[in-house]
Amino acid sequence: MGLRRGRRLTDSPEFERVYKQGSAYRGRLISVHAFPNDAGGPRLGLSVSKKVGNAVIRNGVKRRIREIFRLKLPEIRGERDFVISARPAAAEAAYEQLEAEFEKALRKLGDRD
């Protein structure tokens, strides 16, 4: 079961708005930017550059981050757009490490207790 279309950011202007106007958490594995939306719930945008690795590695990182976000949806308060940028270290990170860093970002950004 994946993350449904209504929970994803797809347009460049949406990404730009979150980057420019939102708050940010910068960790070793990921950076998380968040900004309030009026879309009826949390939405996710992903940015995984070629610095992370080849296409197979980048897609694996995206799948893991998407799944972490999907499973954490019930714990996320409010209606916010999140843009998660993977850092090169994310390619070697275990699922649990990515999950822990995302939870830390949520606490810092005030989206979770």
Side-chain angles (χ1 to χ4, degrees):
M1 183 166 145
L3 192 61
R4 64 184 178 89
R5 195 178 222 8
R7 294 282 185 209
R8 294 187 187 183
L9 293 178
T10 55
D11 298 333
S12 287
E14 293 175 326
F15 278 79
E16 287 300 317
R17 181 176 43 86
V18 175
Y19 280 131
K20 290 182 179 176
Q21 299 175 20
S23 54
Y25 164 84
R26 290 175 180 83
R28 189 177 70 80
L29 303 174
I30 58 174
S31 292
V32 181
H33 290 76
F35 188 71
N37 71 33
D38 56 1
R43 297 188 304 170
L44 173 68
L46 290 173
S47 174
V48 183
S49 77
K50 289 185 178 180
K51 291 179 185 177
V52 173
N54 64 28
V56 173
I57 292 170
R58 290 193 313 271
N59 285 330
V61 169
K62 286 190 277 189
R63 278 194 302 273
R64 287 185 286 167
I65 292 172
R66 224 179 273 124
E67 182 66 4
I68 289 166
F69 184 81
R70 185 184 72 79
L71 293 174
K72 297 295 177 190
L73 273 174
E75 301 173 28
I76 297 174
R77 294 192 310 242
E79 298 176 358
R80 298 183 86 170
D81 288 338
F82 293 90
V83 175
I84 300 177
S85 302
R87 297 189 181 277
E92 302 296 323
Y95 177 93
E96 293 78 15
Q97 293 172 304
L98 288 169
E99 182 179 34
E101 185 127 329
F102 183 64
E103 288 174 350
K104 186 175 178 181
L106 288 178
R107 283 191 300 274
K108 182 185 179 287
L109 295 170
D111 287 302
R112 186 170 176 225
D113 296 326

